[in-house]
Amino acid sequence: GRSIAREYDAGERQPFTDEQRALLGQKTYDIYLNDRAYWRNVPANVWAYTLGGYTVLKKWLSYREKGILQRGLTVEEARYVSTMVRRIAALLLLTPELDRNYGEAYPLTPAWRGDNKE
């Protein structure tokens, strides 16, 4: 499919603070499954989120292309994409808190052999 970057519309922008939008990205994407079906308003940083060097959503969808599976996505698989978008967005929104927690916990952990902990 294709992905189209665009600005958030007023309704999409309204629920988030400026800080939250910075974490999610200043643009959003519409990700097309085909000419009729698409996922609307996938924040840019959710679409670009990587794990193990791969963009999670794009990689997941690429393994489920019709040419590979010899079938289209099931309704359940299409819904799962929406679930992944929400989970990745939640992780991104938690980043400042997770970073703070890590910063507080790290000095309390024991040093391991070869650790350059200062």
Side-chain angles (χ1 to χ4, degrees):
R2 62 192 156 109
S3 58
I4 299 175
R6 61 178 176 78
E7 300 294 326
Y8 289 99
D9 68 29
E12 295 164 342
R13 191 176 25 260
Q14 187 273 332
F16 299 104
T17 65
D18 290 341
E19 179 186 3
Q20 290 171 324
R21 266 196 312 283
L23 292 167
L24 294 174
Q26 296 302 323
K27 294 207 181 258
T28 191
Y29 281 83
D30 294 334
I31 311 299
Y32 285 79
L33 177 61
N34 55 40
D35 290 339
R36 294 181 300 150
Y38 67 101
W39 293 275
R40 181 178 171 79
N41 188 26
V42 177
N45 292 347
V46 171
W47 180 240
Y49 186 78
T50 61
L51 191 60
Y54 296 100
T55 51
V56 173
L57 295 170
K58 191 171 187 178
K59 190 68 162 176
W60 192 92
L61 287 167
S62 76
Y63 279 123
R64 285 153 184 87
E65 288 181 3
K66 192 171 186 173
I68 293 172
L69 291 180
Q70 302 303 309
R71 64 169 176 79
L73 284 183
T74 65
V75 171
E76 185 176 286
E77 289 168 330
R79 284 188 185 130
Y80 187 69
V81 173
S82 299
T83 299
M84 286 192 296
V85 168
R86 288 185 199 103
R87 288 178 178 175
I88 294 168
L91 281 172
L92 292 172
L93 292 172
L94 284 169
T95 298
E97 185 177 346
L98 295 171
D99 288 348
R100 269 191 305 280
N101 288 342
Y102 178 80
E104 292 172 12
Y106 184 75
L108 305 174
T109 60
W112 297 92
R113 250 183 289 193
D115 191 0
N116 292 330
K117 186 175 175 181
E118 297 175 18

